[in-house]
Amino acid sequence: MALRQQRKSQPLRAQPAHRDAGQIHNLAQTPATLPSIIAQWFRSKSWQPRPHQLALLANAKLRQSTLLIAPTGAGKTLAGFLPTMAAFAEDKQKKQGAGLRVLYVSPLKALAADVARNLTAPITDMGLKIRTEIRTGDTSAARRQRQRTNPPHILLTTPEQIALLLSHPDAGHLFADLDTIILDELHALAPTKRGDLLALDLARLRSHAPHVMTIGLSATVARPSELRAYLVAQTKPETETRLSDIVTVTGGAKPDIRILEAEVGVPWSGHTSKYAMREIYDELRAHKLSLVFVNTRMQAELVFQELWRVNDDNLPIGLHHGSLDAAQRKKVEAAMAAGKLRAVVATSTLDLGIDWGDIDLVINVGAPKGSSRLLQRIGRANHRLDESSKAILVPSNRFEVLECRAALEAAEAGAQDAALSRNGGLDVLAQHILGTACSAPFQPSALFDEVRSALPYAYLSRQQFDRAIDFVATGGYALRAYDRFAKLKPEPDGKLRIAHPSFAQQYRLNVGTIVESPMLKVRLVSGKHIAGKQTRTAHQGGRVLGEVDEAFVEQLPARATFVFAGEVLRFESLQGTEVFVSRAKSADPMIPSYGGGRFPMSTHVAQRVRRMLSDDRSWAALPTPVADWLRLQQSRSLIPGPNDVLIETFPRAGRHHIVIYAFEGRHAHQTLAMLLTRRLDRAGAKPLGFVANDYAISIWGRGDISALIADGKLSLSQLFEEDMLGDDLDAWLAETSLMKRTFRFAAVVAGLIERRHPGKVKSGRQVTMSTDLVYDVLRRHDPNHILLEAAWADAATGLLDIARLGEFLARIKGRIRHQPLDRVSPLAVPILLEIGRERVNGEAQDDMLREASEILIREAMEDG
């Protein structure tokens, strides 16, 4: 293990980006001595404090905010809390006071609970009089209220709860004694809208506690200086960037990662990995405790059910995802900690910092979509610095084999694809302005300076800030005639105050930046109680299992069966915002779908996939069927170079196809396909539809695209001109529902539309109708409205990924490789199998997909 400490450098120039600078010092130059109580505790465990833990303690004595970057198992969390424990141990004779001293901020509720449990033991062993409590959305209202009047010394919480606490008039009193803020898994929080909100709240906390110290805990990141700047106030962003100190731990055992090769071979297409369930189960049997990660809640339910189908030994297997009821999640977490489970199927709810039980294997079902995410998940196994984390990747299809191999090689090289480099959202700023007013009247100029001290808003102009103020105060030009949007009122001294107490109540019900699809509670009622009755009174009460997507429930036929919370359930009735279900038996239950949650392949992994594809020497590391597939493609068509784009055109089943192998991720591909269909229509190709995944796009139509290109009626270079992001994009955005959806998210975050009201929750349809109406009004009468600007900024990097698409169009200029064919190519088979398939459930549908696959494969492999 190697460790380096970098002292605070001279301020850096803000443009074009932050860079690490400064002198590297030996830790011996900054020694720190542990209080005797803590030193004795280390000895009792036969442990020694690690150098980076002592380094953080030394920095804390100097009141220097610090970023600690260390691999899994290095003791980051203990290092973060050590200064606080040392302060209490050294100050036993003095009265520490009853005020809140430390805020620990976690991106996950489960991580906060895990840290609280692991923190309790040393505090108790040392005899320190430190009270710790958790505050998340699962905490009861009574406890949350008591925490404001009688706070603990250490509060473990989430960004949303900090915003909520800051919105109360007593926030100044509550945080007056705040000494330290610990930001765990900072690399996961900072590059998101939650990170924007947290940065603004850190700026607000500094106004209440000017001498507060921040400690950031992070895994390895591509550009640490961005996180260092996030931790401290930016006072002169135009001329310099302030950085915290940094302590970096390097080394540790390299991860042991392999790609699963099942007996039946990886399918050409599909997203379920059902083919590998027996091999996955065999791995669970061979290990003490395994975490089986998936990328979506739908996959979690499916994989859990499939593992139980082959669970011949009746192994205890748990399920954990964000839509399950809090009691259910806590039950699984407790069983993990007690060593009562052999495996847990989980989404990202468990992939950050969790240290439960003796986890000795991580299995990632499906492609991980990024090297940073893979490294994070792998770190859950063998949570020790000097032991290799063991992981198995299970690709769902042949393209995912390439992606898994690329992510594996990136992880082995320690390469990261996570980066901050973002401007704070204007919708988040609007939410923060209203929250500030809920606490007390404010001077706009003072708040502007405070907001600009937060890194994501360091370059915010006064004009942008004033527009955000005007939006919160009036709704903006087109909406100022409506009192419901007028949430701020001026006072004689120039301050702005909340216009009515009801706005503060609404803010507290809707605070946060996570905009889920509308969800409905699932209540389990007795089948006997329901039998023969379809009355309203029959469907009352019952245990809450969790929440499912409203859109999924609306399309359920009566008495349909579906899988949720690890059980097969029968849909009995929908009443208000609650779904009543009973236990059932079914060989072919549906799997609930959820909005969002599908990660696009990262830019870094995509680059590695393209390089691997273009280099036939690297194919030797791939499973034989996959390598043979690529060799067949090489002989029948082309393999593109790492910076080229391959475009194939061919007829099939009375239609003409154009397939574009862009490898830029699902979001960018969907936008590109939409824009290409408009241009192809103008060229006479008569497009009928398209399908897109992370790797390619297929567009089909009635026009012979190969002939149009050969006759010079369709120019591929003009088809892919960057100007498609001009008028074509504007015209498409004017008519597509995707931009309305992006606007809907921004409107909810900014508080323009509120889902939750006292005693009731708006349905998804009501929210959609409200935001769609406002969107149309603003486009017509106020096209420069700040929320339209916020929605466009989100579209550039989010659902539409316009920024990544622009980079792709620039990259392929002059590098388009067209291959006209007389039939489908081997590489095109997986993408064509996506056509017309929404979801696959049950054996009958599996047989249909297998039959379609065999037909396409035979066509691709036939000799001309």
Side-chain angles (χ1 to χ4, degrees):
M1 178 185 73
L3 183 146
R4 68 177 184 270
Q5 182 180 25
Q6 186 171 304
R7 308 305 300 168
K8 189 179 297 183
S9 68
Q10 291 297 316
L12 301 180
R13 292 288 174 182
Q15 300 292 342
H18 305 306
R19 298 175 183 270
D20 285 327
Q23 182 68 36
I24 295 176
H25 287 260
N26 188 300
L27 286 174
Q29 297 173 352
T30 55
T33 303
L34 287 174
S36 58
I37 294 174
I38 299 179
Q40 175 57 37
W41 178 78
F42 272 97
R43 287 193 293 271
S44 71
K45 301 289 183 182
S46 299
W47 296 345
Q48 285 188 340
R50 287 175 168 157
H52 58 276
Q53 294 169 337
L54 295 177
L56 243 65
L57 183 58
N59 275 8
K61 290 180 180 296
L62 299 173
R63 305 300 298 164
Q64 291 175 334
S65 294
T66 305
L67 173 66
L68 171 60
I69 292 180
T72 296
K76 289 193 295 288
T77 306
L78 178 59
F81 284 103
L82 197 58
T84 299
M85 290 190 285
F88 272 80
E90 292 171 344
D91 216 12
K92 271 196 154 186
Q93 281 71 38
K94 299 179 183 178
K95 182 175 175 54
Q96 282 283 346
L100 178 62
R101 303 295 302 279
V102 178
L103 270 179
Y104 166 88
V105 187
S106 160
L108 298 178
K109 300 173 187 177
L111 179 54
D114 175 47
V115 169
R117 180 172 53 252
N118 292 332
L119 187 60
T120 300
I123 288 175
T124 302
D125 292 346
M126 295 176 200
L128 300 175
K129 304 300 182 183
I130 302 176
R131 274 198 308 127
T132 65
E133 290 188 14
I134 300 173
R135 181 189 176 99
T136 69
D138 294 336
T139 306
S140 69
R143 171 166 285 196
R144 291 202 303 267
Q145 176 65 27
R146 196 259 304 148
Q147 286 171 341
R148 285 174 47 214
T149 57
N150 183 23
H153 297 111
I154 299 176
L155 184 64
L156 301 100
T157 188
T158 59
E160 293 75 21
Q161 291 299 315
I162 295 177
L164 192 59
L165 288 169
L166 284 168
S167 74
H168 288 282
D170 60 1
H173 175 73
L174 175 65
F175 294 112
D177 294 328
L178 188 64
D179 178 84
T180 304
I181 303 170
I182 302 171
L183 307 177
D184 205 352
E185 306 293 350
L186 183 57
H187 61 285
L189 271 174
T192 66
K193 284 196 175 186
R194 293 181 83 198
D196 295 345
L197 183 63
L198 179 59
L200 291 169
D201 288 336
L202 289 176
R204 184 109 280 259
L205 288 168
R206 291 187 194 103
S207 72
H208 293 310
H211 303 294
V212 71
M213 176 181 65
T214 52
I215 296 174
L217 308 177
S218 174
T220 304
V221 289
R223 294 195 291 270
S225 56
E226 294 178 327
L227 297 184
R228 296 173 66 191
Y230 187 96
L231 289 174
V232 294
Q234 301 303 313
T235 54
K236 298 177 181 178
E238 289 87 358
T239 58
E240 60 187 24
T241 300
R242 295 187 65 234
L243 302 177
S244 73
D245 283 350
I246 182 171
V247 175
T248 305
V249 182
T250 59
K254 287 195 172 183
D256 174 10
I257 316 170
R258 66 181 173 90
I259 297 175
L260 182 74
E261 292 195 38
E263 185 176 337
V264 298
V266 66
W268 287 62
S269 185
H271 300 282
T272 65
S273 298
K274 284 184 179 181
Y275 77 97
M277 287 301 151
R278 174 58 66 179
E279 284 82 359
I280 293 174
Y281 179 72
D282 290 342
E283 294 292 345
L284 304 187
R285 292 175 58 194
H287 292 83
K288 296 177 184 177
L289 175 58
S290 303
L291 275 181
V292 182
F293 280 116
V294 295
N295 290 333
T296 68
R297 288 166 285 184
M298 181 178 179
Q299 288 175 318
E301 293 282 356
L302 187 146
V303 170
F304 180 78
Q305 286 297 314
E306 291 301 315
L307 286 175
W308 272 99
R309 286 183 195 273
V310 298
N311 192 359
D312 301 331
D313 298 327
N314 202 30
L315 300 180
I317 302 173
L319 176 65
H320 196 287
H321 63 72
S323 289
L324 297 178
D325 184 62
Q328 174 87 356
R329 297 196 307 270
K330 289 177 180 176
K331 183 178 178 181
V332 172
E333 292 163 12
M336 283 179 67
K340 295 180 180 178
L341 295 177
R342 292 290 296 276
V344 177
V345 180
T347 59
S348 56
T349 52
L350 290 182
D351 71 1
L352 289 173
I354 307 298
D355 187 16
W356 278 320
D358 193 12
I359 299 169
D360 55 351
L361 177 66
V362 165
I363 300 175
N364 199 95
V365 177
K369 301 303 173 187
S371 58
S372 295
R373 182 177 294 111
L374 176 59
L375 285 166
Q376 191 71 58
R377 289 181 167 182
I378 290 172
R380 301 312 104 220
N382 287 338
H383 208 264
R384 302 171 187 87
L385 188 63
D386 55 352
E387 293 186 20
S388 293
S389 296
K390 186 177 180 182
I392 299 174
L393 306 184
V394 185
S396 297
N397 57 61
R398 295 194 173 192
F399 270 121
E400 283 197 355
V401 172
L402 303 179
E403 187 179 342
C404 284
R405 187 71 208 175
L408 182 155
E409 291 176 359
E412 288 180 340
Q416 302 288 328
D417 50 25
L420 185 52
S421 295
R422 61 176 280 117
N423 293 321
L426 295 175
D427 50 348
V428 181
L429 175 61
Q431 182 183 126
H432 179 73
I433 289 170
L434 181 59
T436 301
C438 291
S439 176
F442 66 87
Q443 281 284 0
S445 293
L447 183 59
F448 174 64
D449 291 340
E450 180 182 296
V451 164
R452 292 236 307 171
S453 71
L455 178 66
Y457 297 90
Y459 302 103
L460 181 77
S461 70
R462 183 58 194 254
Q463 181 188 25
Q464 287 176 307
F465 177 79
D466 288 341
R467 289 173 64 212
I469 289 282
D470 182 63
F471 163 71
V472 180
T474 68
Y477 168 75
L479 304 175
R480 65 178 65 246
Y482 301 93
D483 289 342
R484 57 173 292 197
F485 299 122
K487 299 180 180 180
L488 300 181
K489 284 192 174 181
E491 293 192 328
D493 60 359
K495 290 184 177 181
L496 294 174
R497 64 173 176 83
I498 199 80
H500 192 275
S502 63
F503 289 129
Q505 185 181 27
Q506 289 294 106
Y507 170 86
R508 294 176 188 130
L509 285 172
N510 292 277
V511 69
T513 64
I514 301 174
V515 183
E516 290 276 9
S517 297
M519 306 294 281
L520 302 176
K521 283 186 179 179
V522 179
R523 284 193 180 273
L524 179 66
V525 289
S526 168
K528 293 181 181 179
H529 182 61
I530 290 174
K533 299 181 182 180
Q534 292 300 319
T535 65
R536 185 177 183 84
T537 55
H539 300 163
Q540 291 181 349
R543 179 166 63 91
V544 175
L545 299 180
E547 297 179 321
V548 293
D549 197 304
E550 181 184 67
F552 170 76
V553 175
E554 287 178 341
Q555 53 87 38
L556 280 177
R559 308 286 288 172
T561 58
F562 65 97
V563 171
F564 182 69
E567 300 188 65
V568 178
L569 306 171
R570 177 176 286 109
F571 172 54
E572 300 292 351
S573 72
L574 171 62
Q575 296 176 15
T577 59
E578 296 191 339
V579 183
F580 291 87
V581 300
S582 61
R583 288 190 175 93
K585 292 183 179 180
S586 173
D588 190 21
M590 300 176 72
I591 307 291
S593 58
Y594 296 87
R598 301 183 74 173
F599 307 112
M601 180 171 55
S602 74
T603 302
H604 178 78
V605 168
Q607 290 170 346
R608 284 179 174 265
V609 169
R610 293 197 303 269
R611 286 201 297 268
M612 181 189 309
L613 188 65
S614 66
D615 181 8
D616 55 11
R617 294 169 300 179
S618 68
W619 300 352
L622 300 173
T624 300
V626 177
D628 289 344
W629 169 56
L630 296 181
R631 292 188 188 98
L632 188 62
Q633 169 69 17
Q634 196 174 40
S635 65
R636 300 293 170 85
S637 178
L638 290 174
I639 295 290
N643 293 312
D644 298 337
V645 60
L646 171 63
I647 296 176
E648 295 176 332
T649 53
F650 52 83
R652 185 178 188 274
R655 296 174 177 176
H656 294 271
H657 292 258
I658 178 171
V659 180
I660 304 103
Y661 301 94
F663 294 97
E664 290 294 346
R666 181 184 305 273
H667 293 164
H669 287 178
Q670 287 174 335
T671 301
L672 177 60
M674 286 284 194
L675 297 176
L676 287 176
T677 55
R678 298 176 68 89
R679 293 193 159 192
L680 288 169
D681 187 52
R682 292 199 297 267
K686 302 174 184 177
L688 297 171
F690 73 86
V691 66
N693 61 18
D694 269 323
Y695 316 103
I697 303 160
S698 177
I699 302 173
W700 61 91
R702 292 195 297 268
D704 188 336
I705 300 174
S706 295
L708 289 172
I709 296 171
D711 295 341
K713 296 178 181 179
L714 177 62
S715 166
L716 289 178
S717 60
Q718 291 178 7
L719 183 65
F720 286 88
E721 277 287 352
E722 293 175 83
D723 62 3
M724 77 161 61
L725 298 182
D727 292 343
D728 278 328
L729 180 61
D730 289 341
W732 173 57
L733 290 179
E735 62 189 38
T736 180
S737 61
L738 287 176
M739 195 62 195
K740 287 186 175 181
R741 182 181 173 192
T742 304
F743 176 80
R744 190 180 313 143
F745 292 161
V748 171
V749 170
L752 182 71
I753 302 295
E754 292 131 341
R755 279 207 64 220
R756 300 177 187 86
H757 297 262
K760 62 179 181 178
V761 177
K762 277 188 179 181
S763 70
R765 186 177 290 109
Q766 288 171 321
V767 172
T768 299
M769 290 175 63
S770 299
T771 54
D772 286 0
L773 178 62
V774 173
Y775 177 79
D776 291 336
V777 168
L778 295 182
R779 276 189 61 89
R780 274 197 307 271
H781 303 292
D782 195 2
N784 295 318
H785 193 278
I786 192 170
L787 281 195
L788 292 179
E789 182 180 334
W792 176 261
D794 287 349
T797 56
L799 195 62
L800 307 183
D801 218 349
I802 295 165
R804 186 167 176 181
L805 176 55
E807 293 171 0
F808 164 75
L809 294 175
R811 173 173 63 82
I812 66 167
K813 192 172 291 187
R815 305 191 71 94
I816 296 173
R817 301 188 66 186
H818 174 228
Q819 183 68 23
L821 302 168
D822 60 0
R823 70 193 67 191
V824 61
S825 73
L827 209 60
V829 170
I831 185 69
L832 262 63
L833 285 171
E834 301 263 358
I835 296 174
R837 183 171 58 83
E838 290 297 323
R839 71 173 67 92
V840 178
N841 298 311
E843 294 181 4
Q845 289 90 336
D846 286 348
D847 290 342
M848 291 174 62
L849 179 61
R850 192 177 303 111
E851 186 176 317
S853 301
E854 290 171 355
I855 293 172
L856 267 172
I857 293 165
R858 280 199 301 271
E859 288 181 26
M861 298 182 70
E862 285 176 357
D863 291 326

